[in-house]
Amino acid sequence: MEAQPKRKLFSAVQPSGAVTIGNYIGAIRNFAALQDEYACLYAVADLHAITVKQEPAALRRHTLELLALFIACGVDPEKCTLFVQSHVPAHCELTWVLNTIAYPGELSRMTQFKDKSARHADNVNMGLMDHPVLMAADILLYQAALVPVGADQKQHLELTRDLGIRFNNRYGATFTIPEPFTPKSTARIMSLADPTKKMSKSDENPNGFVTLDDDRDTILRKFQRAVTDSGAEVRYDTEEKPGVSNLLSIYCAFTGKTIEGAERDFAGKGYGEFKLAVGEVVADALAPIRAEHGRLLADKAYLNGVMKRGAEAAARIAYRTLAKVYRKVGFYAGE
Ligand code: TYM
């Protein structure tokens, strides 16, 4: 029997500064885990990043840093296609076509658009509103079947599916309709300072998030300060104990243990000991990633080569899809 070609998988992360353990647990850690089973494409979403103000020099630096971080987190550039979104112009070209079947009503209802418009009230631009259409273009261009993302991106993925189905219905079968890959207990890592809020690098309180380049002492300190509750029992209960439950999810993500196993580990132990143990597990797991990240960043030529080869490989697939789209919508291609 002939081997089936691997199904495609796409995901991307914005190069908008520090990467948190929320990004890592919710998305990036799954990138390496899925690379043998799927034909994976991973992008640094710089086109998305400029929908909020970026300092140009910092954006350039963060782009290279994020590409290196993917590799430091175990993504193998020999197995996966790693590239920078703006290096493949087809992303913008397909966005334009998809814009003609996307409605302002559905875009202005997106939770992230509403949140970001409130946070950046001085810069509510068209790109911010169009963010999910560009994301749909990213995914549909590669005929991706699976998209590993955190829970906050699930609404955008629903829109991607809607736009793909809408296009297929109007013009005939063109796009694969993707599914999200969002394991439940790690889909939404919460702030350490306020466990009712998502962990986010844009939190003004730096104790709310841990980044992949925080050093050991900083990590331990942030976990020691993590908000728990007035009880004393280490038990998973997101309603009654959101802080403790979040720490348990983080502990399990880094140890591979089940929640029940983790609860047993801390039976009869106090919150102080628990928080120290979670901090240590996270610091131990991040140390080799930090070291590898530093090593990779010292070899710019290698990283530039990876992203160049990645953009070429991505463009080959992307332009096949785009040619099909242009034909379906009736663009005249000459004789
Ligand atoms: P971004 O850059 O904000 O976040 C990158 C990934 O991290 C996940 N994430 C979390 N997961 C769990 N808990 C958290 N606290 C947490 N915070 C962030 C996000 O869900 C995401 O998976 N629009 C996207 C980037 C993007 C993309 C794409 C993703 C552009 N094109 C195509 C998938 C497919 C974004 O802003 O993610």
Side-chain angles (χ1 to χ4, degrees):
M1 217 172 70
E2 240 181 84
Q4 291 284 322
K6 281 185 184 169
R7 295 203 304 157
K8 295 214 184 62
L9 176 152
F10 181 90
S11 198
V13 178
Q14 296 192 63
S16 41
V19 172
T20 70
I21 57 168
N23 299 129
Y24 177 73
I25 299 172
I28 301 173
R29 141 187 112 107
N30 297 321
F31 292 2
L34 293 161
Q35 66 190 347
D36 291 318
E37 204 182 328
Y38 288 85
C40 299
L41 295 113
Y42 297 120
V44 176
D46 55 349
L47 296 169
H48 278 103
I50 60 164
T51 60
V52 302
K53 275 186 202 136
Q54 303 287 338
E55 212 264 292
L59 179 60
R60 261 191 291 277
R61 197 177 65 245
H62 292 149
T63 298
L64 196 72
E65 285 172 359
L66 184 55
L67 189 101
L69 192 65
F70 287 166
I71 305 172
C73 291
V75 175
D76 180 349
E78 300 301 320
K79 290 183 185 161
C80 305
T81 302
L82 274 176
F83 68 104
V84 177
Q85 189 188 28
S86 67
H87 295 181
V88 183
H91 291 248
C92 295
E93 294 167 300
L94 181 60
T95 301
W96 179 254
V97 177
L98 293 179
N99 270 333
T100 65
I101 59 162
Y103 307 120
E106 60 190 346
L107 299 181
S108 59
R109 268 199 304 277
M110 292 285 125
T111 310
Q112 197 169 79
F113 172 67
K114 289 196 277 191
D115 287 354
K116 285 199 177 172
S117 308
R119 254 191 294 126
H120 305 278
D122 59 333
N123 185 26
V124 183
N125 61 78
M126 289 301 294
L128 197 58
M129 189 159 160
D130 216 28
H131 179 124
V133 180
L134 174 59
M135 178 161 158
D138 293 344
I139 298 165
L140 297 174
L141 263 182
Y142 299 102
Q143 309 288 357
L146 198 72
V147 183
V149 278
D152 62 328
Q153 296 298 321
K154 273 184 103 170
Q155 197 183 33
H156 290 168
L157 211 71
E158 262 317 304
L159 184 87
T160 300
R161 291 172 53 88
D162 289 347
L163 292 178
I165 292 169
R166 203 175 292 162
F167 189 96
N168 286 351
N169 286 341
R170 191 172 300 180
Y171 296 107
T174 307
F175 295 123
T176 301
I177 305 304
E179 298 285 340
F181 178 87
T182 309
K184 199 157 165 273
S185 68
T186 52
R188 204 171 152 80
I189 299 300
M190 310 308 278
S191 158
L192 299 186
D194 176 358
T196 61
K197 271 189 359 204
K198 183 188 81 162
M199 181 181 286
S200 165
K201 57 198 154 205
S202 47
D203 195 335
E204 326 64 84
N205 181 354
N207 287 322
F209 57 89
V210 171
T211 77
L212 264 53
D213 44 33
D214 279 346
D215 60 28
R216 187 176 188 86
D217 288 348
T218 309
I219 296 173
L220 293 180
R221 183 169 39 77
K222 287 182 178 178
F223 277 101
Q224 263 150 14
R225 290 197 184 156
V227 168
T228 45
D229 54 65
S230 56
E233 196 192 353
V234 178
R235 179 166 53 81
Y236 191 84
D237 178 341
T238 50
E239 293 291 313
E240 296 287 319
K241 292 171 166 284
V244 170
S245 304
N246 187 42
L247 295 176
L248 276 169
S249 296
I250 295 171
Y251 180 80
C252 291
F254 282 102
T255 55
K257 292 193 179 181
T258 61
I259 295 284
E260 296 72 37
E263 283 174 339
R264 271 196 302 278
D265 284 358
F266 297 106
K269 299 199 172 138
Y271 285 167
E273 199 174 333
F274 169 53
K275 290 197 279 189
L276 181 66
V278 182
E280 277 177 340
V281 156
V282 174
D284 288 349
L286 297 188
I289 296 177
R290 261 182 83 207
E292 179 64 2
H293 193 214
R295 199 188 62 75
L296 286 161
L297 282 172
D299 193 350
K300 223 165 150 184
Y302 168 71
L303 296 172
N304 286 333
V306 167
M307 70 172 77
K308 184 164 182 288
R309 280 197 304 283
E312 285 162 3
R316 276 195 291 280
I317 307 173
Y319 278 101
R320 246 193 336 261
T321 303
L322 194 73
K324 198 163 157 190
V325 168
Y326 276 15
R327 201 167 55 243
K328 298 249 179 175
V329 300
F331 290 164
Y332 183 63
E335 296 298 332

